[in-house]
Amino acid sequence: MASLFQGQASPLDASRLVFSRSTAQRPVPLPGSSELWAQNCFEGMKVYRGFDGRLRLFRPDLNAKRLNMSAQRVALPGFDDAELVKLITALVKEDAPRWLPQDQTGRFLYVRPAIIGNGTQLGVQLPRVATLFVVMVPWPDFSMELPPNAKPRAVPGLRLLASQGETTRAWPGGFGYAKVGANYGTTFVAHGKALEQGFDQILWLFGTDGRVTEAGASNFFAIVKNEASGRAELLTASLDDNLILDGVTRRSVLELVRSRLSKELSVSETVFTMSELKKAWEQGRLLEAFVSGTAFFITPVCSINYEGCDLDVPQERQAVGASYASIIKGWLKDIMYGGEIHPWGLVVED
Amino acid sequence: MASLFQGQASPLDASRLVFSRSTAQRPVPLPGSSELWAQNCFEGMKVYRGFDGRLRLFRPDLNAKRLNMSAQRVALPGFDDAELVKLITALVKEDAPRWLPQDQTGRFLYVRPAIIGNGTQLGVQLPRVATLFVVMVPWPDFSMELPPNAKPRAVPGLRLLASQGETTRAWPGGFGYAKVGANYGTTFVAHGKALEQGFDQILWLFGTDGRVTEAGASNFFAIVKNEASGRAELLTASLDDNLILDGVTRRSVLELVRSRLSKELSVSETVFTMSELKKAWEQGRLLEAFVSGTAFFITPVCSINYEGCDLDVPQERQAVGASYASIIKGWLKDIMYGGEIHPWGLVVED
């Protein structure tokens, strides 16, 4: 099942677009700019059926803003953020009730807005035509189930493999911060090898000093007891060098921790290396690790393989729901499913 | 006009594929792996109508080999190189006579083999379906005409703009050596800005020392008088660090110079920086510069803008056809159009 909007409107005007079901077939006589030049970008979102029976989007304004930024990184046209939110809302209103009826509380559909260059010119040129569409589909809950292809394991959580430099995901002056296809297909080989070795995702390191950036298609967090102060710190890579994606869930985690946990947990968006993390682990100062993202939501990490050594992340507090990751996940879930009425949850009336 | 082959055959078997004209429409109910994950790769080739009336491909085995390598970089299936050459030959035999009749000697068509991932899964996963196709189209001769969007100019040749680090084309552990879409759409913004400023292509520098890599979608060569020996050297970036494309024309240039010009011109595939090139220019040691590629063939460079300063490349020898670039281009043209019978020219009987 898929629902999508597509149509012609420039500038983007939600009221002028056309709704079509999955039987729609796009005529593609020649490969488009997306298929040859990777001129594409997209978003990942969810629509939630709340415990109060209402449909909600989670901070769709941030996805719209990021899609706009990604589009411009690959020379696709920008648009009015608010029009995209209207378009997504209209699709949800039109079709979500069919696949996510009111009694399916606590469930969600996945929403993927995308823009692709589809001019048919074969030369390497600035594109002439682009298509914006939004697809909505059912999606497995990766934060509850094992990820695809994962082997059964005794300890819950993701097994990460720290990258060894053979493949580098992103680079200064590159596009690691943009949600563009060019960041994905180019990691499939390394990701496939990691799966074969029994890992779930790659933890992408950058540079000769092994700076921790992000994990697979999600942002990475570690909670470490500061060596000097003894205080717990939430560590995550900084956005400053444009290497990592500015995740909506990442941003929400940071905002919640800053506003609700500041007395016990300080936030450090910073450059930190895998050897620093290993040292903290050796000294018993690595308290937690988790990833965040729309697909993976908040998923704990159970181990990080670094230079052949498995750093097992403590699971005790996770197991009894007392970890910071569990607490933050609970808050986010409440906001998404209407357990807490919060401005981040945009209600779509159906 | 376009001609293409597409069909289902795994492993690739040229005898089993289906030929269809451009009216063919591929059903695409959901965006494919190519459109979302940039899982694609391609080649650029030409078929030449020789001065002897025969059709020729130029070293198609090298394109097949490179497509295979590119495919594997983005987790697309590999194939038997020889089957792809058979497939291209069959397309040329079938359809080139229609668009390139025997009296159109000295002309060519452009041939683009490509592989795209087009499974419809929306998750970031190793792909399930891929399509290999070959498109053949008429194409402007960029080596004779001005490039698209170029402003008229007094001096022939390309105006290059050396990149300033704002955008980095390729990096170690990346995919700059593979002909994958991810290397193209991500340069459109920088390329568009360069066009606006009156340049034709970007000369991509890498790293803080400004290493010269490649120019736009072509390889870059400089001929410099060696400071110590006074001997003329053909400089081009090395393949060693996997930053640049292993161009078929580049390779052919190097092989011809090594076999036919070794007494007067030494070859240096090496790391060299833009400041070294500038120093040579200041000392009057920069003799020539040109780019090579299938689309641009051998095209002289008339200037390189580096840190705001225009390095004007001497044009005197170019103007009278006495430059090394002219000589090499003449040899290649002879091989392509049958003026010299050479194993690099694969005759396709029609």
Side-chain angles (χ1 to χ4, degrees):
Chain A
M1 183 278 289
S3 305
L4 64 141
F5 271 111
Q6 54 187 24
Q8 293 193 323
S10 179
L12 183 59
D13 172 355
S15 66
R16 288 174 56 208
L17 297 209
V18 183
F19 177 74
S20 63
R21 297 221 185 268
S22 63
T23 49
Q25 295 194 344
R26 287 182 292 126
V28 186
L30 278 180
S33 188
S34 168
E35 286 174 307
L36 287 185
W37 316 133
Q39 215 201 4
N40 55 46
C41 58
F42 52 89
E43 281 299 314
M45 309 167 66
K46 287 174 177 168
V47 55
Y48 306 89
R49 179 62 80 182
F51 291 109
D52 58 358
R54 301 174 89 181
L55 292 170
R56 278 181 188 79
L57 292 164
F58 183 75
R59 308 187 83 178
D61 52 319
L62 295 183
N63 293 96
K65 190 176 167 193
R66 191 172 62 184
L67 188 66
N68 226 333
M69 177 277 290
S70 297
Q72 289 172 48
R73 180 61 184 82
V74 286
L76 287 164
F79 54 86
D80 179 346
D81 294 354
E83 290 301 311
L84 180 61
V85 174
K86 278 188 213 167
L87 187 64
I88 294 165
T89 304
L91 175 64
V92 165
K93 209 178 177 76
E94 168 76 25
D95 219 34
R98 184 176 171 193
W99 306 102
L100 202 61
Q102 288 199 340
D103 59 353
Q104 294 211 358
T105 58
R107 301 185 74 101
F108 62 85
L109 298 173
Y110 197 80
V111 180
R112 184 171 305 295
I115 311 181
I116 59 174
N118 52 351
T120 55
Q121 73 274 14
L122 284 182
V124 180
Q125 295 169 21
L126 294 179
R128 296 182 198 150
V129 186
T131 301
L132 183 151
F133 56 85
V134 185
V135 181
M136 187 166 65
V137 290
W139 197 264
D141 185 350
F142 293 144
S143 73
M144 304 296 284
E145 304 168 15
L146 283 176
N149 307 319
K151 292 177 185 159
R153 73 274 314 266
V155 181
L158 296 173
R159 287 178 180 158
L160 303 184
L161 171 64
S163 66
Q164 302 285 322
E166 194 187 331
T167 305
T168 302
R169 179 188 168 275
W171 194 268
F175 36 87
Y177 63 100
K179 207 162 172 74
V180 295
N183 284 320
Y184 292 80
T186 51
T187 65
F188 281 173
V189 173
H191 179 63
K193 280 187 197 164
L195 289 184
E196 276 171 22
Q197 294 173 61
F199 301 102
D200 301 312
Q201 294 287 341
I202 292 176
L203 180 61
W204 294 106
L205 306 187
F206 176 75
T208 46
D209 54 349
R211 290 161 53 182
V212 177
T213 65
E214 58 179 67
S218 51
N219 293 115
F220 175 82
F221 292 86
I223 299 179
V224 171
K225 197 183 281 187
N226 185 288
E227 196 171 6
S229 69
R231 191 174 151 83
E233 267 183 351
L234 180 67
L235 278 178
T236 199
S238 153
L239 302 175
D240 288 344
D241 45 16
N242 272 348
L243 290 180
I244 67 158
L245 199 73
D246 178 4
V248 175
T249 315
R250 172 190 181 279
R251 189 185 279 232
S252 304
V253 167
L254 295 176
E255 289 174 25
L256 285 175
V257 170
R258 284 187 173 119
S259 64
R260 301 185 182 184
L261 287 171
S262 60
K263 286 189 184 160
E264 47 188 303
L265 188 58
S266 57
V267 169
S268 191
E269 286 182 74
T270 188
V271 171
F272 65 104
T273 67
M274 196 58 217
S275 39
E276 285 167 7
L277 208 58
K278 187 177 179 187
K279 187 181 167 199
W281 175 79
E282 286 168 344
Q283 297 177 343
R285 293 186 291 106
L286 176 60
L287 307 179
E288 293 182 35
F290 60 94
V291 301
S292 79
T294 297
F296 280 89
F297 194 18
I298 304 288
T299 301
V301 169
C302 70
S303 72
I304 306 169
N305 187 285
Y306 176 52
E307 294 177 342
C309 166
D310 267 317
L311 283 57
D312 294 315
V313 182
Q315 297 294 314
E316 297 73 22
R317 297 198 308 159
Q318 186 67 37
V320 296
S323 65
Y324 286 117
S326 317
I327 294 165
I328 297 162
K329 184 175 179 175
W331 286 334
L332 285 170
K333 203 169 171 180
D334 274 352
I335 295 170
M336 289 161 175
Y337 291 99
E340 177 187 344
I341 302 305
H342 192 283
W344 291 351
L346 178 73
V347 173
V348 181
E349 297 295 351
D350 68 323
Chain B
M1 183 279 289
S3 305
L4 64 140
F5 272 111
Q6 53 187 23
Q8 293 194 324
S10 179
L12 182 59
D13 174 355
S15 66
R16 288 174 56 208
L17 296 209
V18 184
F19 176 74
S20 63
R21 296 218 187 270
S22 61
T23 49
Q25 295 194 342
R26 287 182 293 124
V28 186
L30 278 180
S33 189
S34 168
E35 286 174 306
L36 287 185
W37 317 132
Q39 216 202 2
N40 55 47
C41 58
F42 51 89
E43 280 298 314
M45 310 168 64
K46 287 174 177 168
V47 55
Y48 306 88
R49 179 62 80 181
F51 292 109
D52 58 357
R54 300 175 91 181
L55 291 170
R56 277 181 186 81
L57 292 163
F58 183 74
R59 310 187 81 176
D61 51 318
L62 294 184
N63 293 96
K65 190 176 168 192
R66 191 172 61 185
L67 187 67
N68 225 334
M69 177 276 290
S70 298
Q72 289 172 49
R73 179 61 185 82
V74 286
L76 287 164
F79 53 87
D80 180 345
D81 295 352
E83 289 302 311
L84 180 61
V85 175
K86 278 189 215 167
L87 187 62
I88 294 164
T89 304
L91 175 62
V92 165
K93 211 179 176 73
E94 168 77 23
D95 221 33
R98 184 177 172 191
W99 306 102
L100 201 62
Q102 287 198 340
D103 57 355
Q104 294 210 0
T105 58
R107 300 185 74 100
F108 62 83
L109 298 173
Y110 197 82
V111 180
R112 184 172 303 297
I115 312 180
I116 60 174
N118 53 350
T120 55
Q121 73 273 13
L122 284 183
V124 180
Q125 295 171 20
L126 294 179
R128 295 183 198 149
V129 186
T131 300
L132 183 151
F133 58 85
V134 184
V135 180
M136 188 165 64
V137 290
W139 198 264
D141 186 349
F142 293 144
S143 74
M144 305 295 283
E145 303 167 17
L146 283 175
N149 307 320
K151 292 177 187 158
R153 72 277 311 269
V155 181
L158 296 172
R159 288 178 180 158
L160 303 184
L161 172 64
S163 66
Q164 303 285 322
E166 194 188 330
T167 305
T168 302
R169 180 190 168 274
W171 54 82
F175 37 87
Y177 62 101
K179 208 163 173 74
V180 296
N183 284 319
Y184 291 80
T186 50
T187 65
F188 282 173
V189 173
H191 179 62
K193 279 187 197 163
L195 289 185
E196 277 171 21
Q197 294 173 62
F199 301 103
D200 301 312
Q201 294 288 341
I202 292 176
L203 180 60
W204 293 107
L205 306 187
F206 176 75
T208 47
D209 54 350
R211 290 162 53 181
V212 177
T213 64
E214 59 179 66
S218 52
N219 292 116
F220 175 83
F221 291 87
I223 300 180
V224 171
K225 197 184 280 185
N226 185 288
E227 196 171 7
S229 68
R231 192 175 151 83
E233 268 183 352
L234 179 68
L235 279 177
T236 200
S238 153
L239 302 175
D240 288 345
D241 44 16
N242 273 347
L243 291 180
I244 66 159
L245 198 74
D246 179 5
V248 176
T249 316
R250 172 189 180 279
R251 189 185 278 231
S252 304
V253 167
L254 295 175
E255 289 174 25
L256 285 176
V257 170
R258 284 187 172 119
S259 64
R260 300 184 182 184
L261 287 172
S262 60
K263 286 188 183 160
E264 45 187 305
L265 188 59
S266 57
V267 168
S268 191
E269 286 183 73
T270 187
V271 171
F272 64 105
T273 66
M274 196 58 217
S275 39
E276 286 167 5
L277 208 57
K278 188 179 179 187
K279 187 181 166 198
W281 175 79
E282 287 167 342
Q283 299 177 342
R285 294 185 292 106
L286 176 60
L287 307 178
E288 293 181 36
F290 61 93
V291 301
S292 78
T294 297
F296 280 90
F297 194 18
I298 304 289
T299 301
V301 169
C302 69
S303 73
I304 305 169
N305 187 284
Y306 176 52
E307 294 177 342
C309 166
D310 267 316
L311 283 55
D312 294 314
V313 182
Q315 296 294 313
E316 297 75 22
R317 297 198 309 159
Q318 185 67 35
V320 297
S323 65
Y324 285 118
S326 317
I327 294 166
I328 297 162
K329 185 176 179 175
W331 286 334
L332 285 169
K333 204 169 172 180
D334 274 354
I335 296 171
M336 288 160 176
Y337 290 99
E340 176 187 344
I341 303 305
H342 192 284
W344 291 351
L346 178 73
V347 172
V348 181
E349 299 293 351
D350 67 325

